[in-house]
Amino acid sequence: QWIPAAMIVLAVTNVPQVAGAQSIGVEPLSSGEIQTVRNLADRKNPENLLRSDAQLRLLIKQAHTFSPLLRELNYAVEAAEQDINVAKGARAPQVTIRGSSTMVTGGIPTANRASGLPYFGVNAAMTVYDFGRIDSTVKNREARKDAAGARYEQQANQVAIETTTVCLEYTKRRALLSAVEDYSQTVQKLVDMLTKVVEADPGRKAELVQAKSRLLQSQQSRESERSGVEQFRIRLNRLIGPDNAFM
């Protein structure tokens, strides 16, 4: 997948507000479209640039959704919000309802019965002035919520940057692999041609040896690039989760 550097910068600078591909007016890519190899010759096409931007935004959103640490921090923000509500609830009236009745014990357990009228009572209490204790508690818990939100945003940015970096490197490695494979095929054709030439002109055997050496080097480079592509594919899959994995 070809991701232009300009689109990557645009996506990272808007990480906290990522809301999927709909935010830029295009339909989100399906999992099959995400795994489709782009034609590198068309990377300057405006439509492809727009789709690349949408694809990167979708990858970042998937990484945010999958990240265990982000989920944990999100729960911390929600818990802090509930703590604020509890602190504010201390201002509300506290109502207590009580009830009782007198039981007369008989000779056997089933002979127990109520004696007299049951008693019910309702008590209501409300804090009139607490010397600022509730306000201080609310402010303290609001500060905790802000701190939790800041940690979440910081981690979200880190996930987005890591996803973007790995995606960019994955794209670069695939482009290099494509170039190396083309070069290796070209050298293979040269070797095949020189093999036939040497059969008719043995004096050009040295050229064939040099061509075979270049072929071995290109094959070694190809395997190295394949290993790099696989390495970054695995890293990208670990970021976005198995449900969205690149095959």
Side-chain angles (χ1 to χ4, degrees), residues 74-178:
N74 184 56
Y75 292 144
V77 173
E78 293 179 355
E81 179 68 30
Q82 295 304 318
D83 288 341
I84 294 174
N85 293 335
V86 171
K88 290 180 178 179
R91 296 193 180 100
Q94 308 295 317
V95 179
T96 305
I97 300 176
R98 299 176 182 176
S100 64
S101 64
T102 303
M103 300 296 295
V104 176
T105 304
I108 56 177
T110 56
N112 296 342
R113 58 186 178 83
S115 175
L117 296 176
Y119 165 77
F120 295 98
V122 178
N123 295 328
M126 181 178 179
T127 302
V128 178
Y129 186 70
D130 64 350
F131 300 94
R133 180 181 62 83
I134 295 178
D135 290 338
S136 177
T137 301
V138 170
K139 290 180 180 179
N140 178 270
R141 295 184 179 182
E142 286 177 343
R144 291 182 182 180
K145 178 190 173 184
D146 293 340
R151 288 194 296 271
Y152 177 89
E153 183 174 349
Q154 179 185 25
Q155 184 61 30
N157 284 330
Q158 291 180 353
V159 170
I161 291 172
E162 184 178 4
T163 302
T164 301
T165 302
V166 173
C167 184
L168 178 61
E169 189 64 28
Y170 177 65
T171 300
K172 183 182 76 174
R173 291 301 183 97
R174 294 188 67 170
L176 289 174
L177 176 60
S178 177

Side-chain angles (χ1 to χ4, degrees), residues 173 176-186 188 214-230:
R173 291 301 183 97
L176 289 174
L177 176 60
S178 177
V180 170
E181 287 178 339
D182 290 343
Y183 174 73
S184 181
Q185 292 175 1
T186 300
Q188 181 65 58
R214 290 164 60 186
L215 177 61
L216 291 175
Q217 291 176 357
S218 67
Q219 291 174 343
Q220 182 179 5
S221 298
R222 180 181 60 190
E223 294 305 317
S224 176
E225 293 301 332
R226 282 180 178 174
S227 176
V229 168
E230 182 65 14

Side-chain angles (χ1 to χ4, degrees), residues 7-16 56 60 157 160-161 164:
M7 296 298 100
I8 290 175
V9 174
L10 175 62
V12 174
T13 55
N14 292 280
V15 165
L56 180 57
I60 292 175
N157 284 330
I161 291 172
T164 301

